[in-house]
Amino acid sequence: MSKFKKKFDHDIFVKNILLIMGNMTAEEFSDDIYQKTGYQIKPSQIKSYIDGDIEPFPGTINILSKYAQVTPDFWYVPNTEESLRKEREKYNETILKAASQTFDKNFETFLNLDDDIKNFLSSEENMPYIKAAMEARSKNISADTLKLLIDTIAKEVKKAK
């Protein structure tokens, strides 16, 4: 992202929208954006952008960027089919790199676990226990409280036998 303040140019924005839309109508474009991002940009809104009645909010730029697989800077400079292709390659490389770094970090964390924990986490039959622990965590139940509950339940089960 450049450090200077980007100046919105309506003509450039419209040309870029039309480049991304291709042969789609505003309705088809709106539907496609929703299908691919889960965000709604109404056809009337798209038509208003193209007609110059309104300028997009930064959030709309982000939605369009996600949809088109480009950086937000894309919308501030003139583009062609070729620059769009290159921008998408760069965008996808960045996404892939970030995902790879996250995977590497998570894998390294997993490798540093004790073997008994690795084995427990890797066993399909233990998934309900892992999910229960995750639920306890999400409900702010401390590990100490959970251990106490388990000990109490285990004592009751032992008495019942």
Side-chain angles (χ1 to χ4, degrees):
M1 185 91 89
S2 48
K3 292 183 189 219
F4 64 90
K5 177 87 169 120
K6 295 179 284 300
K7 184 176 178 337
F8 182 82
D9 182 312
H10 181 261
D11 292 334
I12 290 173
F13 179 75
V14 170
K15 287 177 184 169
N16 288 331
I17 281 275
L18 295 173
L19 176 65
I20 298 298
M21 284 177 68
N23 295 327
M24 286 186 269
T25 65
E27 290 77 12
E28 292 168 333
F29 188 51
S30 173
D31 288 343
D32 203 39
I33 291 169
Y34 182 73
Q35 292 296 320
K36 292 180 179 169
T37 69
Y39 294 102
Q40 179 89 52
I41 300 177
K42 295 182 178 175
S44 59
Q45 199 174 344
I46 293 166
K47 289 174 187 172
S48 291
Y49 294 144
I50 293 170
D51 293 341
D53 298 334
I54 59 172
E55 287 186 9
F57 289 108
T60 305
I61 295 282
N62 289 335
I63 292 167
L64 290 169
S65 298
K66 180 179 179 182
Y67 168 78
Q69 298 179 335
V70 298
T71 65
D73 286 344
F74 172 87
W75 303 100
Y76 295 91
V77 296
N79 284 284
T80 63
E81 286 285 344
E82 180 63 17
S83 65
L84 172 60
R85 184 186 62 73
K86 287 180 181 177
E87 178 74 16
R88 283 181 171 157
E89 285 176 7
K90 186 172 77 173
Y91 177 89
N92 287 317
E93 283 173 14
T94 303
I95 296 290
L96 205 57
K97 185 177 178 183
S100 176
Q101 288 171 343
T102 300
F103 175 80
D104 288 348
K105 183 179 173 228
N106 290 342
F107 189 65
E108 183 179 338
T109 300
F110 181 79
L111 288 177
N112 289 326
L113 294 173
D114 292 337
D115 285 342
D116 60 334
I117 295 173
K118 277 191 247 182
N119 291 334
F120 186 87
L121 291 173
S122 300
S123 173
E124 185 74 32
E125 67 190 30
N126 291 331
M127 286 302 133
Y129 296 99
I130 295 168
K131 288 181 180 182
M134 289 170 55
E135 184 177 351
R137 174 74 189 262
S138 74
K139 293 180 178 173
N140 293 321
I141 298 171
S142 73
D144 290 335
T145 301
L146 196 55
K147 287 177 190 175
L148 186 60
L149 285 170
I150 292 168
D151 289 343
T152 303
I153 293 167
K155 287 177 188 175
E156 292 299 318
V157 169
K158 196 173 189 179
K159 282 183 191 176
K161 286 185 178 181

